Amino acid sequence: MSGKLWGVGIGPGDPELVTVKAARVIADADVVAFHSARHGKSISRGVAALYMRDDQIEEHLVYPVTTETVDHPGGYQGAMDEFYEEAAERLATHLQAGRTVALLAAGDPLFYSSYMHMHKRLAHRFDAEIIPGVTSISAASATLGTPLVEGEEILTVLPGTLPPAELTRRLRETDAAAILKLGRTYPHVRQALTESGRLDEAQYVERASTERERVTAAADVADDEVPYFSIAVVPSP
């Protein structure tokens, strides 16, 4: 019989925010798989380490590219598609051998996560189940101690990779917003916050729930100090 694929949401970074079910599945799995950039340091692996066994097989899936340029003939998307195909086949080998695979996903597996790319390629071939996790938005809101929305207010989740004009339009139209995928995009995000009149309301949260957590006004953040895994929160007025 084939093994089972688990998409395991491990939350925003604090190991104690891993759900009871996620901890159990990680501990029971034959294979624990996780992603990282080429530097090799996996945030997900670090969070899950508390629940892992010494005798488990580990599959370290290293992205060929993150934000830098690439010489792949298909460009950035071509390089990533090829990577996901190869990674899916690595996991398929374990599943075909009857092993249970826990693929770790920072935050929630279906919220801006790499897990979904594996799910699309494997769920029609093998038994697959998803364990939801605490998102970075929930962690940031808790860190700020500020409700995002209430009643009939609207929350808009925005990727910082959108063009500044589109970010500006959406910030003007919503009650509250959470802007993800910052890093190099932060100058454009700051521009959109300024032009929409929301900069003074916005708060910047970095590595929410972890020991390296940092909170400051979005207007006070230096453009070259923003990592990718940070978030700008605009609470409802």
Side-chain angles (χ1 to χ4, degrees):
M1 294 180 62
S2 297
K4 182 172 182 175
L5 173 66
W6 290 90
V8 184
I10 58 169
D14 181 350
E16 291 188 323
L17 290 178
V18 174
T19 66
V20 173
K21 185 171 184 177
R24 175 179 60 78
V25 168
I26 292 169
D28 291 345
D30 300 309
V31 180
V32 178
F34 47 88
H35 294 86
S36 84
R38 287 187 292 182
H39 53 59
K41 299 176 183 178
S42 172
I43 295 174
S44 297
R45 198 324 183 154
V47 173
L50 181 64
Y51 308 105
M52 293 171 61
R53 307 189 319 269
D54 292 338
D55 62 341
Q56 287 172 306
I57 300 170
E58 297 187 24
E59 281 289 356
H60 187 178
L61 309 175
V62 181
Y63 298 117
V65 63
T66 49
T67 58
E68 65 270 24
T69 57
V70 60
D71 58 4
H72 191 281
Y76 175 87
Q77 192 58 54
M80 292 304 294
D81 287 342
E82 183 176 283
F83 163 71
Y84 287 130
E85 289 293 338
E86 293 175 352
E89 289 310 307
R90 284 172 61 180
L91 301 187
T93 299
H94 292 295
L95 295 166
Q96 288 166 343
R99 302 184 188 104
T100 300
V101 177
L103 177 52
L104 308 180
D108 181 87
L110 297 181
F111 185 80
Y112 288 126
S113 168
S114 292
Y115 170 78
M116 64 186 72
H117 299 287
M118 298 294 98
H119 191 83
K120 293 173 184 176
R121 290 167 170 81
L122 296 171
H124 65 288
R125 300 167 56 189
F126 305 99
D127 186 16
E129 185 171 338
I130 296 167
I131 302 175
V134 178
T135 69
S136 59
I137 295 176
S138 297
S141 178
T143 293
L144 293 172
T146 302
L148 291 177
V149 283
E150 61 179 80
E152 296 179 348
E153 293 172 339
I154 296 170
L155 170 67
T156 301
V157 179
L158 300 166
T161 50
L162 286 175
E166 181 66 8
L167 276 173
T168 300
R169 181 181 71 81
R170 292 180 179 271
L171 285 167
R172 285 173 175 160
E173 293 176 351
T174 192
D175 297 306
I179 310 174
L180 287 71
K181 300 186 179 184
L182 299 184
R184 295 183 181 183
T185 71
Y186 196 71
H188 300 301
V189 171
R190 182 199 297 275
Q191 176 186 341
L193 287 167
T194 300
E195 293 179 358
S196 64
R198 310 295 297 267
L199 181 62
D200 291 342
E201 308 165 40
Q203 294 291 313
Y204 169 84
V205 183
E206 182 178 309
R207 299 183 175 91
S209 83
T210 73
E211 294 180 352
R212 299 172 66 189
E213 178 180 275
R214 183 164 75 106
V215 179
T216 188
D220 296 336
V221 180
D223 293 342
D224 60 352
E225 295 178 355
V226 180
Y228 182 82
F229 290 109
S230 52
I231 182 171
V233 179
V234 184
S236 170

